[in-house]
Amino acid sequence: MRRTVFEPEHESYRQVVREFVNRHLAAQIDRHRREHSIDRQTWRTAGEFGLLGFFVPEDYGGGGATDFRFNAVQGEELSRLSYGYASAFGINTDIVAPYLLELTTEEQKQRWLPAFAAGETIASIAITEPGAGSDVLGIRTTAARDGSGWILNGAKTFITNGSSADLIIVAAKSEKDKASRSISLFVVETAVSPVGRGPSLQKVGQTEVETSELFFDNVYVDAANLLGEPGAGFGYMVERLAQERLSCAIASLGHARAALDETIEYVRQRSAFGQPIGSFQASRFRLAECQTMLDVATAWVDRCIDAHVGGELTPVDAAKAKLAATEVQNKVIDHCLQLHGGYGYMQEYRIAQAWQDARVTRIFGGTSEVMREIIGRSLSLSTQPSQKGVRDAS
Ligand SMILES: Cc1cc2nc3c(=O)[nH]c(=O)nc-3n(C[C@H](O)[C@H](O)[C@H](O)COP(=O)(O)OP(=O)(O)OC[C@H]3O[C@@H](n4cnc5c(N)ncnc54)[C@H](O)[C@@H]3O)c2cc1C
């Protein structure tokens, strides 16, 4: 079925992203994976291609796009090469950008957006802590008033781009009361307010992406770096989670589709018992099932993209998109690995890496269980009050 969600301008932008992927990322992915990091020059090149500022208004040096479909084609194309690139660049474009565009003062926009658009700023968002992931209201990092600024104390973990980030949105409780919803968001500029950083954590997959612990030991942040209103952070985060989830769903499907395309090619070439393995009925049935799961999930996700562009995407529909797309992605890629036989278990094969990269999508950005919890609440069944604060409370 022809996809109808994209217009010619989005397809033109797809070609730009594809050129960046083919000319720059494909040649460097092995090095990025070895070094567990995407180097600064690659970020700058992404900026030169317009990938990191297409949504920033032209007055601040960006491309002026206001349409999430550009984000969508970018996520699809990056994840076709590797989900890790969609994760790393997506933190800037799909997750941090809405905070910087929608919650900032004019002075803050002038200060942050031009470098952001140019690829000079690597961004992170630091919510998760060693003791609080799904349960966002359980965070213990504190922000205490100090003269004209704030003092941050606490620790964050699993922070994407964390080791290199120049700009980190940090969630902290402005009151010590653990039950309080009073979370504030701060934009920590690491050159001005140095933050302790652990080494990049050793992950199962997406090894080209930095994922780090961050430590705040009396870190001073100027009052001018508060994002929006003090104490309103939880609401700000909840409002932006739908886009984060949709973005994850889009990249998950792009990732799985690339794996399926490569596997179809593989089973055409590889023979057993004197015939291509793709000609066995078991292989054809499995690939047919994968193709169907992907096409059906894509239809829902495309519908959600459409709804998001129209300002109508609900948290429940975004949760369905993330749940369905990430579960389909993991099933499809596992079947694809099986069809590669022993070669699928070898690191040098892209399918092995895709299999490792995919596993986390059912965990980050809200786990599959939390997605089911959000969707389940919409069914007017009884809920447990103690679960009202899950990373996703709606
Ligand atoms: C590679 C990676 C990158 C990440 N990047 C970032 C980042 O950039 N910034 C950031 O802030 N965070 C980031 N995270 C953190 C991520 O969002 C959390 O790991 C995720 O929200 C789950 O939290 P947790 O790991 O503490 O698990 P927990 O919350 O401890 O959950 C453990 C298990 O309990 C289940 N569970 C928890 N609550 C419920 C419930 N109410 N109902 C049913 N089951 C439940 C979960 O589904 C899970 O199976 C990242 C994580 C990873 C692995």
Short mmCIF file of all heavy atoms in Angstrom, two decimals, residues 61-111:
data_model
loop_
_atom_site.label_atom_id
_atom_site.label_comp_id
_atom_site.label_asym_id
_atom_site.label_seq_id
_atom_site.Cartn_x
_atom_site.Cartn_y
_atom_site.Cartn_z
N GLY A 61 19.12 30.72 12.96
CA GLY A 61 20.09 29.95 12.16
C GLY A 61 19.63 28.57 11.72
O GLY A 61 20.43 27.77 11.24
N GLY A 62 18.34 28.28 11.87
CA GLY A 62 17.86 26.95 11.49
C GLY A 62 17.13 26.94 10.17
O GLY A 62 17.11 27.93 9.43
N GLY A 63 16.49 25.81 9.88
CA GLY A 63 15.80 25.63 8.61
C GLY A 63 14.36 26.10 8.61
O GLY A 63 13.73 26.20 7.56
N GLY A 64 13.81 26.34 9.80
CA GLY A 64 12.47 26.90 9.89
C GLY A 64 11.34 25.92 9.65
O GLY A 64 10.19 26.33 9.49
N ALA A 65 11.61 24.64 9.66
CA ALA A 65 10.52 23.66 9.45
C ALA A 65 9.67 23.57 10.71
O ALA A 65 10.18 23.64 11.83
CB ALA A 65 11.10 22.29 9.12
N THR A 66 8.38 23.43 10.53
CA THR A 66 7.50 23.34 11.71
C THR A 66 6.76 22.01 11.72
O THR A 66 5.82 21.82 12.48
CB THR A 66 6.45 24.47 11.69
OG1 THR A 66 5.78 24.42 10.43
CG2 THR A 66 7.08 25.82 11.90
N ASP A 67 7.20 21.12 10.91
CA ASP A 67 6.43 19.92 10.61
C ASP A 67 7.19 18.68 11.09
O ASP A 67 8.31 18.42 10.63
CB ASP A 67 6.25 19.92 9.08
CG ASP A 67 5.44 18.76 8.57
OD1 ASP A 67 5.32 17.76 9.29
OD2 ASP A 67 4.97 18.87 7.43
N PHE A 68 6.59 17.91 11.97
CA PHE A 68 7.26 16.74 12.54
C PHE A 68 7.60 15.68 11.48
O PHE A 68 8.42 14.80 11.73
CB PHE A 68 6.38 16.13 13.65
CG PHE A 68 6.97 14.91 14.28
CD1 PHE A 68 7.99 15.01 15.21
CD2 PHE A 68 6.54 13.64 13.91
CE1 PHE A 68 8.58 13.88 15.78
CE2 PHE A 68 7.11 12.51 14.47
CZ PHE A 68 8.13 12.63 15.42
N ARG A 69 6.99 15.76 10.30
CA ARG A 69 7.30 14.75 9.29
C ARG A 69 8.76 14.79 8.85
O ARG A 69 9.31 13.79 8.41
CB ARG A 69 6.35 14.89 8.09
CG ARG A 69 4.94 14.41 8.45
CD ARG A 69 3.96 14.66 7.35
NE ARG A 69 3.69 16.09 7.19
CZ ARG A 69 2.83 16.59 6.31
NH1 ARG A 69 2.17 15.77 5.51
NH2 ARG A 69 2.63 17.89 6.23
N PHE A 70 9.41 15.96 8.99
CA PHE A 70 10.85 16.00 8.71
C PHE A 70 11.61 15.17 9.74
O PHE A 70 12.56 14.46 9.41
CB PHE A 70 11.36 17.45 8.67
CG PHE A 70 10.81 18.24 7.51
CD1 PHE A 70 9.74 19.11 7.68
CD2 PHE A 70 11.35 18.10 6.24
CE1 PHE A 70 9.22 19.83 6.61
CE2 PHE A 70 10.84 18.81 5.16
CZ PHE A 70 9.78 19.69 5.34
N ASN A 71 11.19 15.29 11.01
CA ASN A 71 11.81 14.45 12.05
C ASN A 71 11.61 12.98 11.71
O ASN A 71 12.50 12.14 11.90
CB ASN A 71 11.16 14.70 13.42
CG ASN A 71 11.25 16.14 13.89
OD1 ASN A 71 10.80 17.05 13.22
ND2 ASN A 71 11.84 16.34 15.05
N ALA A 72 10.40 12.67 11.23
CA ALA A 72 10.06 11.27 10.96
C ALA A 72 10.95 10.67 9.87
O ALA A 72 11.50 9.57 10.04
CB ALA A 72 8.59 11.16 10.58
N VAL A 73 11.12 11.39 8.76
CA VAL A 73 11.97 10.81 7.70
C VAL A 73 13.41 10.70 8.19
O VAL A 73 14.12 9.73 7.86
CB VAL A 73 11.91 11.58 6.35
CG1 VAL A 73 10.55 11.46 5.71
CG2 VAL A 73 12.32 13.01 6.48
N GLN A 74 13.84 11.66 9.00
CA GLN A 74 15.20 11.59 9.53
C GLN A 74 15.39 10.34 10.40
O GLN A 74 16.37 9.61 10.27
CB GLN A 74 15.51 12.86 10.33
CG GLN A 74 16.92 12.88 10.89
CD GLN A 74 17.40 14.29 11.17
OE1 GLN A 74 17.22 15.19 10.36
NE2 GLN A 74 18.01 14.50 12.31
N GLY A 75 14.43 10.11 11.29
CA GLY A 75 14.51 8.93 12.16
C GLY A 75 14.51 7.63 11.36
O GLY A 75 15.27 6.71 11.64
N GLU A 76 13.68 7.58 10.33
CA GLU A 76 13.63 6.36 9.50
C GLU A 76 14.97 6.11 8.81
O GLU A 76 15.46 4.98 8.77
CB GLU A 76 12.55 6.51 8.42
CG GLU A 76 11.14 6.33 8.94
CD GLU A 76 10.07 6.40 7.84
OE1 GLU A 76 10.42 6.56 6.64
OE2 GLU A 76 8.90 6.30 8.19
N GLU A 77 15.54 7.17 8.26
CA GLU A 77 16.78 6.99 7.48
C GLU A 77 17.98 6.68 8.37
O GLU A 77 18.81 5.84 8.02
CB GLU A 77 17.04 8.22 6.61
CG GLU A 77 16.04 8.40 5.49
CD GLU A 77 15.94 7.16 4.59
OE1 GLU A 77 16.98 6.60 4.21
OE2 GLU A 77 14.79 6.76 4.27
N LEU A 78 18.09 7.36 9.51
CA LEU A 78 19.22 7.08 10.40
C LEU A 78 19.15 5.66 10.93
O LEU A 78 20.15 4.94 10.97
CB LEU A 78 19.24 8.07 11.58
CG LEU A 78 19.56 9.53 11.23
CD1 LEU A 78 19.37 10.41 12.47
CD2 LEU A 78 20.99 9.68 10.71
N SER A 79 17.94 5.23 11.30
CA SER A 79 17.82 3.90 11.91
C SER A 79 18.01 2.79 10.88
O SER A 79 18.30 1.66 11.25
CB SER A 79 16.48 3.75 12.62
OG SER A 79 15.43 3.83 11.68
N ARG A 80 17.86 3.11 9.60
CA ARG A 80 18.13 2.08 8.59
C ARG A 80 19.60 1.66 8.65
O ARG A 80 19.92 0.51 8.44
CB ARG A 80 17.79 2.57 7.17
CG ARG A 80 16.31 2.53 6.85
CD ARG A 80 16.06 2.76 5.36
NE ARG A 80 16.51 1.62 4.58
CZ ARG A 80 15.76 0.54 4.34
NH1 ARG A 80 14.54 0.46 4.80
NH2 ARG A 80 16.25 -0.46 3.62
N LEU A 81 20.48 2.62 8.94
CA LEU A 81 21.88 2.24 9.09
C LEU A 81 22.12 1.66 10.48
O LEU A 81 22.73 0.61 10.63
CB LEU A 81 22.80 3.44 8.85
CG LEU A 81 24.29 3.15 9.07
CD1 LEU A 81 24.80 2.10 8.08
CD2 LEU A 81 25.13 4.42 8.95
N SER A 82 21.65 2.38 11.49
CA SER A 82 21.85 1.89 12.85
C SER A 82 20.92 2.65 13.79
O SER A 82 20.85 3.89 13.72
CB SER A 82 23.30 2.14 13.26
OG SER A 82 23.39 2.31 14.65
N TYR A 83 20.27 1.91 14.68
CA TYR A 83 19.36 2.59 15.61
C TYR A 83 20.12 3.60 16.48
O TYR A 83 19.58 4.62 16.90
CB TYR A 83 18.64 1.57 16.51
CG TYR A 83 17.40 2.16 17.13
CD1 TYR A 83 16.15 1.81 16.68
CD2 TYR A 83 17.49 3.11 18.15
CE1 TYR A 83 15.01 2.37 17.22
CE2 TYR A 83 16.36 3.68 18.70
CZ TYR A 83 15.13 3.30 18.22
OH TYR A 83 14.00 3.87 18.76
N GLY A 84 21.40 3.29 16.73
CA GLY A 84 22.18 4.16 17.62
C GLY A 84 22.24 5.60 17.13
O GLY A 84 22.16 6.54 17.92
N TYR A 85 22.36 5.79 15.81
CA TYR A 85 22.39 7.17 15.30
C TYR A 85 21.04 7.85 15.49
O TYR A 85 20.99 9.05 15.79
CB TYR A 85 22.79 7.17 13.82
CG TYR A 85 24.25 6.80 13.59
CD1 TYR A 85 24.59 5.74 12.76
CD2 TYR A 85 25.27 7.52 14.20
CE1 TYR A 85 25.92 5.40 12.53
CE2 TYR A 85 26.60 7.19 14.00
CZ TYR A 85 26.92 6.13 13.16
OH TYR A 85 28.24 5.80 12.96
N ALA A 86 19.97 7.10 15.31
CA ALA A 86 18.65 7.70 15.55
C ALA A 86 18.52 8.09 17.01
O ALA A 86 17.93 9.13 17.35
CB ALA A 86 17.55 6.71 15.15
N SER A 87 19.08 7.28 17.91
CA SER A 87 19.03 7.61 19.34
C SER A 87 19.82 8.88 19.64
O SER A 87 19.31 9.81 20.28
CB SER A 87 19.64 6.49 20.19
OG SER A 87 18.84 5.36 20.20
N ALA A 88 21.07 8.90 19.19
CA ALA A 88 21.96 10.01 19.56
C ALA A 88 21.48 11.34 18.98
O ALA A 88 21.31 12.33 19.70
CB ALA A 88 23.38 9.72 19.09
N PHE A 89 21.22 11.36 17.66
CA PHE A 89 20.78 12.62 17.04
C PHE A 89 19.34 12.94 17.43
O PHE A 89 18.97 14.12 17.55
CB PHE A 89 20.93 12.55 15.51
CG PHE A 89 22.36 12.45 15.04
CD1 PHE A 89 22.79 11.40 14.25
CD2 PHE A 89 23.30 13.41 15.41
CE1 PHE A 89 24.12 11.30 13.83
CE2 PHE A 89 24.62 13.33 15.00
CZ PHE A 89 25.03 12.26 14.20
N GLY A 90 18.54 11.90 17.67
CA GLY A 90 17.14 12.11 18.05
C GLY A 90 17.01 12.79 19.40
O GLY A 90 16.02 13.49 19.65
N ILE A 91 17.98 12.61 20.29
CA ILE A 91 17.92 13.34 21.57
C ILE A 91 17.90 14.84 21.28
O ILE A 91 17.11 15.59 21.85
CB ILE A 91 19.13 12.98 22.48
CG1 ILE A 91 19.01 11.54 22.98
CG2 ILE A 91 19.27 13.97 23.63
CD1 ILE A 91 18.03 11.30 24.09
N ASN A 92 18.77 15.29 20.36
CA ASN A 92 18.77 16.71 20.01
C ASN A 92 17.46 17.11 19.32
O ASN A 92 16.79 18.06 19.74
CB ASN A 92 19.93 17.03 19.04
CG ASN A 92 21.19 17.46 19.77
OD1 ASN A 92 21.61 16.82 20.72
ND2 ASN A 92 21.79 18.55 19.34
N THR A 93 17.14 16.38 18.23
CA THR A 93 16.10 16.88 17.31
C THR A 93 14.68 16.60 17.78
O THR A 93 13.79 17.41 17.56
CB THR A 93 16.28 16.28 15.91
OG1 THR A 93 16.23 14.84 16.03
CG2 THR A 93 17.60 16.67 15.29
N ASP A 94 14.46 15.45 18.41
CA ASP A 94 13.08 15.06 18.73
C ASP A 94 12.75 15.24 20.20
O ASP A 94 11.58 15.36 20.55
CB ASP A 94 12.85 13.58 18.36
CG ASP A 94 12.97 13.32 16.87
OD1 ASP A 94 13.32 14.26 16.14
OD2 ASP A 94 12.72 12.18 16.45
N ILE A 95 13.76 15.22 21.05
CA ILE A 95 13.48 15.21 22.49
C ILE A 95 13.85 16.52 23.16
O ILE A 95 13.01 17.16 23.81
CB ILE A 95 14.17 13.99 23.16
CG1 ILE A 95 13.60 12.70 22.51
CG2 ILE A 95 13.94 14.00 24.68
CD1 ILE A 95 14.19 11.42 23.00
N VAL A 96 15.09 16.99 22.98
CA VAL A 96 15.49 18.24 23.64
C VAL A 96 14.92 19.46 22.90
O VAL A 96 14.49 20.44 23.54
CB VAL A 96 17.04 18.33 23.75
CG1 VAL A 96 17.49 19.72 24.16
CG2 VAL A 96 17.54 17.29 24.76
N ALA A 97 14.88 19.40 21.57
CA ALA A 97 14.45 20.58 20.80
C ALA A 97 13.10 21.14 21.25
O ALA A 97 12.97 22.37 21.42
CB ALA A 97 14.42 20.25 19.30
N PRO A 98 12.07 20.32 21.47
CA PRO A 98 10.79 20.92 21.87
C PRO A 98 10.88 21.73 23.16
O PRO A 98 10.20 22.75 23.31
CB PRO A 98 9.87 19.70 22.07
CG PRO A 98 10.48 18.63 21.22
CD PRO A 98 11.95 18.86 21.25
N TYR A 99 11.74 21.31 24.09
CA TYR A 99 11.90 22.09 25.32
C TYR A 99 12.52 23.45 25.00
O TYR A 99 12.10 24.47 25.51
CB TYR A 99 12.82 21.35 26.31
CG TYR A 99 12.21 20.11 26.92
CD1 TYR A 99 12.32 18.88 26.29
CD2 TYR A 99 11.54 20.17 28.13
CE1 TYR A 99 11.77 17.73 26.85
CE2 TYR A 99 10.99 19.03 28.70
CZ TYR A 99 11.10 17.82 28.06
OH TYR A 99 10.55 16.70 28.60
N LEU A 100 13.56 23.43 24.13
CA LEU A 100 14.27 24.68 23.85
C LEU A 100 13.45 25.62 22.97
O LEU A 100 13.64 26.83 23.00
CB LEU A 100 15.61 24.38 23.16
CG LEU A 100 16.61 23.56 23.98
CD1 LEU A 100 17.95 23.50 23.25
CD2 LEU A 100 16.81 24.12 25.38
N LEU A 101 12.56 25.05 22.18
CA LEU A 101 11.75 25.90 21.30
C LEU A 101 10.51 26.44 22.01
O LEU A 101 10.09 27.57 21.77
CB LEU A 101 11.30 25.11 20.07
CG LEU A 101 12.41 24.71 19.08
CD1 LEU A 101 11.87 23.76 18.04
CD2 LEU A 101 13.00 25.95 18.41
N GLU A 102 9.94 25.61 22.88
CA GLU A 102 8.60 25.95 23.41
C GLU A 102 8.62 26.55 24.81
O GLU A 102 7.66 27.20 25.21
CB GLU A 102 7.73 24.67 23.42
CG GLU A 102 7.47 24.15 22.01
CD GLU A 102 7.05 22.68 21.98
OE1 GLU A 102 6.70 22.13 23.05
OE2 GLU A 102 7.08 22.08 20.89
N LEU A 103 9.69 26.31 25.58
CA LEU A 103 9.66 26.75 26.98
C LEU A 103 10.65 27.87 27.28
O LEU A 103 10.78 28.30 28.42
CB LEU A 103 9.98 25.56 27.90
CG LEU A 103 8.98 24.40 27.87
CD1 LEU A 103 9.50 23.22 28.68
CD2 LEU A 103 7.62 24.85 28.42
N THR A 104 11.37 28.32 26.27
CA THR A 104 12.45 29.28 26.51
C THR A 104 12.01 30.73 26.32
O THR A 104 11.08 31.03 25.57
CB THR A 104 13.61 29.01 25.52
OG1 THR A 104 13.04 28.71 24.25
CG2 THR A 104 14.46 27.86 25.97
N THR A 105 12.73 31.60 27.00
CA THR A 105 12.55 33.05 26.79
C THR A 105 13.32 33.46 25.54
O THR A 105 14.14 32.69 25.02
CB THR A 105 13.13 33.84 27.98
OG1 THR A 105 14.54 33.57 28.02
CG2 THR A 105 12.48 33.42 29.30
N GLU A 106 13.08 34.67 25.07
CA GLU A 106 13.80 35.17 23.89
C GLU A 106 15.32 35.15 24.15
O GLU A 106 16.10 34.74 23.29
CB GLU A 106 13.31 36.60 23.57
CG GLU A 106 13.95 37.23 22.35
CD GLU A 106 13.81 36.36 21.08
OE1 GLU A 106 12.79 35.68 20.93
OE2 GLU A 106 14.76 36.38 20.27
N GLU A 107 15.70 35.57 25.36
CA GLU A 107 17.14 35.61 25.68
C GLU A 107 17.73 34.20 25.62
O GLU A 107 18.83 33.99 25.09
CB GLU A 107 17.32 36.23 27.08
CG GLU A 107 18.76 36.42 27.53
CD GLU A 107 19.38 35.16 28.11
OE1 GLU A 107 18.70 34.40 28.83
OE2 GLU A 107 20.58 34.92 27.82
N GLN A 108 16.99 33.21 26.12
CA GLN A 108 17.50 31.82 26.10
C GLN A 108 17.59 31.30 24.67
O GLN A 108 18.54 30.61 24.30
CB GLN A 108 16.59 30.93 26.95
CG GLN A 108 16.70 31.21 28.45
CD GLN A 108 15.68 30.42 29.26
OE1 GLN A 108 14.56 30.14 28.80
NE2 GLN A 108 16.05 30.09 30.49
N LYS A 109 16.59 31.64 23.86
CA LYS A 109 16.62 31.19 22.45
C LYS A 109 17.88 31.72 21.76
O LYS A 109 18.59 30.99 21.07
CB LYS A 109 15.38 31.70 21.70
CG LYS A 109 14.10 30.94 22.04
CD LYS A 109 12.97 31.41 21.13
CE LYS A 109 11.71 30.60 21.31
NZ LYS A 109 11.04 30.75 22.60
N GLN A 110 18.14 33.03 21.97
CA GLN A 110 19.32 33.66 21.35
C GLN A 110 20.59 32.96 21.82
O GLN A 110 21.54 32.77 21.06
CB GLN A 110 19.42 35.14 21.75
CG GLN A 110 18.24 35.99 21.36
CD GLN A 110 18.36 36.54 19.95
OE1 GLN A 110 19.31 36.21 19.25
NE2 GLN A 110 17.41 37.35 19.53
N ARG A 111 20.60 32.56 23.07
CA ARG A 111 21.81 31.98 23.66
C ARG A 111 22.04 30.55 23.17
O ARG A 111 23.17 30.13 22.96
CB ARG A 111 21.64 32.00 25.19
CG ARG A 111 22.88 31.77 25.98
CD ARG A 111 22.88 32.50 27.33
NE ARG A 111 21.65 32.49 28.08
CZ ARG A 111 21.44 31.78 29.19
NH1 ARG A 111 22.38 31.00 29.66
NH2 ARG A 111 20.29 31.88 29.84
#
